[in-house]
Amino acid sequence: MLTIGQLAATAGVTVRTVRHYHHVGLLPEPERDASGYRRYNAQAAVDLIRIRTLADAGVPLARIDALLHAQPAEFAAAVTDIDAALQRKIDQLTEHRRRIADLASGEALVLPHEVVANLNRMRDLGASERMVRLERDVWILMQALDPDSMPQAIRDKTASFDDPETTRLFLAIDQSLDWDPHDPRVDRLIDDLDAWEIAHERDSSQPENPTLFFSLIVEESPAWQRILDVLAHRAKQRRTAV
Amino acid sequence: MLTIGQLAATAGVTVRTVRHYHHVGLLPEPERDASGYRRYNAQAAVDLIRIRTLADAGVPLARIDALLHAQPAEFAAAVTDIDAALQRKIDQLTEHRRRIADLASGEALVLPHEVVANLNRMRDLGASERMVRLERDVWILMQALDPDSMPQAIRDKTASFDDPETTRLFLAIDQSLDWDPHDPRVDRLIDDLDAWEIAHERDSSQPENPTLFFSLIVEESPAWQRILDVLAHRAKQRRTAV
DNA sequence: GCTTGACCTTGACGCTACGTCAGGGTTGGA
DNA sequence: TCCAACCCTGACGTAGCGTCAAGGTCAAGC
C-alpha cells in the first residue's frame, strides 16, 4: 500500500496534484488508514500515470476522464479536437509575437512610421514635449476612432511643415497652451488662426466626431478652450453669411 | 465627458474590462457625477487605447504600467523579455501537439508499438480482455518505474509467444484469475509454474522494485495472492538449499 | 406622470491547474 | 523521547476578465 507521497513520486507529480485530482473527481478517493491517511493500491498508480500521460500532452483535465474510457473512434475525434484547440492557441500567441515585434519604442506604439517621423520633426522645430505628447495622443485617438482618414491626415500634416506660416502658427500654438485665456496675445493668435482657416478652407475635412479631439486639447489648456470656442463661433457666422 | 460604456466602445473593449483595469490600478478611477456614475475625459480614452495596444500584443497587465512610462532602452528590454516568454509558451504548446499526435489510440497511450503488438497477439491467442488489461497496466507501471529494463522485457515477452509451453501457461494463468485460492487446479498450476521457473531461471532478471507489480496482480485475484506466495516460498527454499 | 429599455452601480463566483502557506496530527528512526 | 519527514483540511493566489445578482438612473414614448 502506498501513501500519497509515494504515489505521487511513482507518477512524477506533486502531492498537491493528486489531491487536486481527487477534488475534481478525476482520481477516486482511496480508503483511509486508522490515522486518516489515504492508502493507495497499485491500480491507483496505473490510473494516475495514465492521467498524467494525457495531461502532459495538453489535454484539459475536464476531458481526460472521458478519454480514458473512450472507444478508439471517439478517442481519435477528441484528440483531433484538442489538437485543433492547441493550434489555435499557438496561432494566437504567434500573432502576439508579431505585434510585440512592432512595438519598437514606447512612443511609436504602432503609430505609422510617418506619424512618428512627424513627431520627431516637431521636436526638431522646437516644439515642447508637452505639445508632442498632445499631438501623439490626437493621432492615437484618430487611429482608434477614424482610421480611414489617417492616410489623408498624415499627408496633410507632413505637407504642412513645408509652409512657413503654418509652421509659425504651430509653434505659436505650443507657446499659447499656458497663456491666460484673456491674454491679449490669445486674441492676436485667434485672428491669425482665423485667417489661416479662411485661406485653407478648401481642405477642411473635419473628423467624423471631433468632440473627443477637441476635449483632449481643451483639457490641457484653458486658453485653448477659449480659442476653439471663438474660432467655432466665427466659422459659424461665416457660414450663415454665405 | 464619457460614460464607462462610451469609453469602452471607444477603445473596443467591454465595460467589465475597464472596471477590471480600475481594480488592478492600471487605469485611474475618474470623477463621479451626481448619481455616482464614472465620468471620463478624452485623456482616459487615449490611456485606455494605449493599454489595449500592449495587452493585445500579449503583454501581461502587470507589466503594462511600467512599459507605458519606460524609456526606450527599458522598453526594448522588456519587449525582448516578453517576446521570449511568448516563445517559451509557444514551444510548450508545440511539444503538447507533438505528444498529442502520438496518442493514436486509447490503449496505446504512448506504450511502445511492440507492446501494443504483444497485447493484440494475446487477444489472438484467446486471452480475456481482463488479462489483456492487466498485462497492459503492468507495462504502464514498468515504463514509469523502470524504463531501462523495457527493451529487454519486450524482447523476452515477444520471444515467449514462440514457446508452446509458455503460451499454455499464460492461458492457464488467465483462466486461474477467478479460481478459489484452494481449488486443486491452483496447486497443479503452481507446480507447472515452479517447473517453468526452474527451467528458465537463467533469465530471471527481476524488476528493481517488484512490490507494485505483484500487488497489481494480487489486487485482481485472491488465487494469485496464494500462487505468488507459494512460488516465492519455494524459490527461497531452493536458494537456501544451494 | 408612468412605463420601459438601456445603462450604471457594487459584490461575488467561475474558469485552469495547481502552488503555497497556516495550523495541527502521525510516523519512524536515532 | 525527540526530531525530521510525512500526513491532514482549509483557504487564498494566480490572469484576465465573463457572467450573474440585485438594485439605482436616464431618456424616450405614451
Side-chain angles (χ1 to χ4, degrees):
Chain A
M1 298 298 269
L2 303 167
T3 67
I4 195 171
Q6 292 165 337
L7 175 77
T10 300
V13 302
T14 68
V15 169
R16 181 68 177 89
T17 297
V18 176
R19 284 202 269 251
H20 181 62
Y21 292 169
H22 290 323
H23 184 68
V24 299
L26 192 51
L27 192 65
E29 282 273 3
E31 304 288 303
R32 306 297 182 106
D33 68 10
S35 17
Y37 288 14
R38 294 178 179 84
R39 289 294 174 172
Y40 298 89
N41 57 27
Q43 187 60 52
V46 172
D47 293 343
L48 181 55
I49 290 168
R50 298 185 73 214
I51 289 169
R52 283 312 302 180
T53 302
L54 292 171
D56 287 341
V59 177
L61 291 194
R63 309 193 58 169
I64 288 183
D65 189 58
L67 239 61
L68 287 178
H69 305 106
Q71 299 306 104
E74 304 165 339
F75 190 94
V79 162
T80 305
D81 185 32
I82 292 163
D83 186 65
L86 286 174
Q87 185 58 55
R88 278 196 301 276
K89 273 199 182 178
I90 290 174
D91 290 346
Q92 185 187 340
L93 290 176
T94 304
E95 167 70 9
H96 281 169
R97 278 201 71 201
R98 200 187 57 67
R99 289 190 179 204
I100 274 266
D102 288 344
L103 303 181
S105 86
E107 183 163 82
L109 273 184
V110 204
L111 281 175
H113 297 302
E114 298 89 337
V115 171
V116 178
N118 277 345
L119 293 175
N120 286 329
R121 192 155 173 193
M122 282 170 56
R123 285 197 183 85
D124 294 342
L125 289 172
S128 69
E129 271 309 307
R130 181 188 185 189
M131 188 69 190
V132 173
R133 186 174 50 71
L134 190 54
E135 182 86 10
R136 181 201 70 183
D137 286 355
V138 169
W139 287 113
I140 288 175
L141 263 188
M142 183 178 298
Q143 193 169 36
L145 298 178
D146 194 11
D148 292 342
S149 64
M150 284 284 283
Q152 183 61 44
I154 290 172
R155 276 193 297 275
D156 290 351
K157 187 73 191 180
T158 303
S160 76
F161 287 114
D162 296 332
D163 176 30
E165 174 63 6
T166 303
T167 305
R168 189 190 68 79
L169 276 174
F170 173 76
L171 290 173
I173 288 170
D174 188 0
Q175 299 297 319
S176 72
L177 287 174
D178 283 326
W179 292 348
D180 182 280
H182 297 287
D183 189 314
R185 291 175 295 178
V186 167
D187 297 287
R188 286 201 297 277
L189 181 56
I190 290 175
D191 290 340
D192 287 352
L193 288 168
D194 200 30
W196 185 92
E197 266 193 14
I198 292 170
H200 295 77
E201 224 163 22
R202 42 169 178 76
D203 54 2
S204 69
S205 65
Q206 297 292 327
E208 284 190 11
N209 178 5
T211 322
L212 267 184
F213 297 93
F214 283 178
S215 52
L216 195 61
I217 298 163
V218 166
E219 284 160 18
E220 276 285 317
S221 160
W224 267 82
Q225 169 93 52
R226 180 162 169 249
I227 293 174
L228 286 174
D229 280 352
V230 173
L231 283 177
H233 183 68
R234 292 198 191 171
K236 191 177 167 191
Q237 280 187 323
R238 270 203 302 282
R239 281 198 301 279
T240 312
V242 173
Chain B
M1 298 299 268
L2 304 167
T3 67
I4 194 171
Q6 292 165 336
L7 176 75
T10 300
V13 302
T14 68
V15 168
R16 181 68 178 86
T17 296
V18 176
R19 285 203 268 252
H20 182 63
Y21 292 168
H22 290 324
H23 184 68
V24 298
L26 192 50
L27 192 65
E29 282 273 3
E31 303 288 304
R32 307 297 183 105
D33 68 11
S35 15
Y37 288 14
R38 293 177 180 83
R39 289 294 175 173
Y40 299 88
N41 58 27
Q43 187 60 51
V46 172
D47 293 343
L48 181 55
I49 291 168
R50 298 185 73 213
I51 289 169
R52 284 312 304 179
T53 302
L54 292 172
D56 287 342
V59 177
L61 291 194
R63 308 192 58 170
I64 288 182
D65 189 57
L67 238 61
L68 287 178
H69 305 106
Q71 299 305 105
E74 304 166 340
F75 189 94
V79 162
T80 304
D81 184 33
I82 292 163
D83 185 66
L86 286 174
Q87 185 58 54
R88 278 197 300 278
K89 273 199 181 176
I90 290 174
D91 290 346
Q92 184 186 340
L93 290 177
T94 304
E95 167 69 9
H96 282 169
R97 278 201 72 202
R98 199 188 58 67
R99 290 190 177 205
I100 274 265
D102 287 343
L103 303 181
S105 88
E107 184 163 81
L109 272 184
V110 202
L111 281 175
H113 297 303
E114 298 91 335
V115 172
V116 178
N118 277 345
L119 293 175
N120 286 329
R121 192 155 174 193
M122 284 171 54
R123 285 199 183 82
D124 294 342
L125 289 171
S128 70
E129 272 309 307
R130 182 188 183 186
M131 187 70 190
V132 173
R133 187 175 49 71
L134 190 54
E135 182 85 9
R136 182 202 69 183
D137 286 355
V138 168
W139 286 112
I140 287 175
L141 264 188
M142 183 178 298
Q143 194 169 35
L145 298 179
D146 193 11
D148 292 342
S149 63
M150 284 283 284
Q152 183 61 43
I154 291 172
R155 277 194 297 276
D156 290 351
K157 188 73 191 179
T158 304
S160 75
F161 288 115
D162 296 332
D163 176 28
E165 173 62 5
T166 302
T167 305
R168 190 189 68 80
L169 277 174
F170 173 76
L171 292 173
I173 287 169
D174 188 357
Q175 300 298 319
S176 73
L177 288 175
D178 282 327
W179 292 347
D180 182 281
H182 298 288
D183 189 314
R185 291 176 297 181
V186 167
D187 297 288
R188 287 202 296 279
L189 180 57
I190 288 175
D191 291 339
D192 287 353
L193 288 168
D194 201 30
W196 185 93
E197 267 195 12
I198 292 169
H200 293 78
E201 224 163 22
R202 45 172 174 75
D203 56 0
S204 69
S205 66
Q206 297 292 327
E208 284 191 10
N209 177 5
T211 323
L212 267 185
F213 297 93
F214 282 178
S215 52
L216 194 61
I217 297 162
V218 167
E219 285 161 17
E220 276 284 318
S221 161
W224 266 80
Q225 168 93 52
R226 178 159 172 251
I227 293 173
L228 286 174
D229 280 352
V230 174
L231 283 177
H233 185 66
R234 291 198 191 173
K236 190 178 170 190
Q237 281 187 322
R238 271 202 303 282
R239 282 199 301 278
T240 311
V242 171

